[in-house]
């Protein structure tokens, strides 16, 4: 469960960086129709938003860890390969299509779709890596150390 917690924290860190002015924050604000003033006002309610977002990232990390375990036991790939593959295919099969449907029917700009869906991919990839690396610090059920 420590790995799930670390993966959830990593997802939040990726989000803070992704949506910061350093990367896509300024463009995202513009595409969403936000101003600096409206963002200052919205920050007052951010504790609840960030808390819910963190809980959801923990759920995502838990499900990803579960699917990674199934995948690793089925394919017998090394942990990091399993983490990267599972994260990508979970994004490609579940998150990408849902976000694409939202884009198609939501009337949002394509750039916004790319920013938001790109974040989801980056988040899952980092979560997969965190979960994979954590498996290197514990022994598998067979008693052998997992491979990279």
């Amino acid at each position: 469960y420590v790995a799930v917690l670390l993966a959830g924290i990593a997802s939040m860190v990726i989000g803070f960086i992704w949506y910061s002015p350093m990367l896509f924050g300024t463009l995202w604000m513009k595409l969403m129709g936000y101003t600096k003033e409206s963002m200052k006002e919205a920050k007052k309610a951010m504790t609840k938003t960030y808390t819910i977002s963190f809980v959801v990232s923990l759920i995502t990390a838990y499900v990803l860890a579960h699917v990674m375990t199934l995948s690793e036991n089925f394919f017998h790939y090394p942990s990091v390969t399993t983490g990267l593959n599972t994260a990508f295919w979970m994004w490609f099969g579940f998150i990408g299509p849902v976000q694409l449907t939202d884009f198609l029917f939501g009337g949002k700009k394509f750039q916004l779709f790319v920013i938001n869906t790109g974040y989801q991919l980056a988040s899952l990839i980092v979560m997969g890596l965190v979960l994979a690396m954590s498996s290197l610090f514990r022994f598998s059920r067979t008693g052998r150390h997992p491979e990279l």
Side-chain angles (χ1 to χ4, degrees):
Y1 293 108
V2 172
V4 169
L5 177 64
L6 292 174
I9 291 168
S11 175
M12 295 297 289
V13 169
I14 294 299
F16 289 134
I17 295 168
W18 195 269
Y19 290 104
S20 74
M22 208 167 44
L23 286 181
F24 304 108
T26 305
L27 179 57
W28 178 84
M29 280 178 45
K30 179 183 170 192
L31 293 169
M32 289 293 292
Y34 295 144
T35 64
K36 289 183 181 184
E37 292 77 30
S38 66
M39 287 302 288
K40 285 179 187 175
E41 188 64 30
K43 283 185 181 181
K44 294 176 185 174
M46 284 296 171
T47 301
K48 180 180 176 183
T49 303
Y50 285 135
T51 301
I52 293 169
S53 182
F54 181 61
V55 169
V56 170
S57 73
L58 291 174
I59 293 168
T60 302
Y62 179 80
V63 171
L64 181 60
H66 183 74
V67 175
M68 283 174 62
T69 300
L70 294 172
S71 179
E72 193 167 18
N73 287 315
F74 184 79
F75 292 111
H76 303 289
Y77 292 150
S79 296
V80 172
T81 303
T82 298
L84 293 172
N85 278 329
T86 305
F88 173 78
W89 288 111
M90 295 286 286
W91 171 82
F92 188 77
F94 298 108
I95 293 172
V98 170
Q99 294 221 352
L100 180 60
T101 301
D102 180 55
F103 161 71
L104 293 172
F105 289 98
K108 297 176 183 171
K109 298 201 183 284
F110 183 72
Q111 285 177 305
L112 187 60
F113 163 75
V114 171
I115 291 170
N116 290 336
T117 307
Y119 159 69
Q120 295 296 332
L121 176 59
S123 175
L124 276 172
I125 292 290
V126 169
M127 279 192 206
L129 286 173
V130 168
L131 294 168
M133 296 307 287
S134 72
S135 74
L136 298 175
F137 296 105
R138 62 178 162 69
F139 288 95
S140 69
R141 291 184 189 178
T142 62
R144 64 179 179 83
H145 198 278
E147 302 168 18
L148 274 175

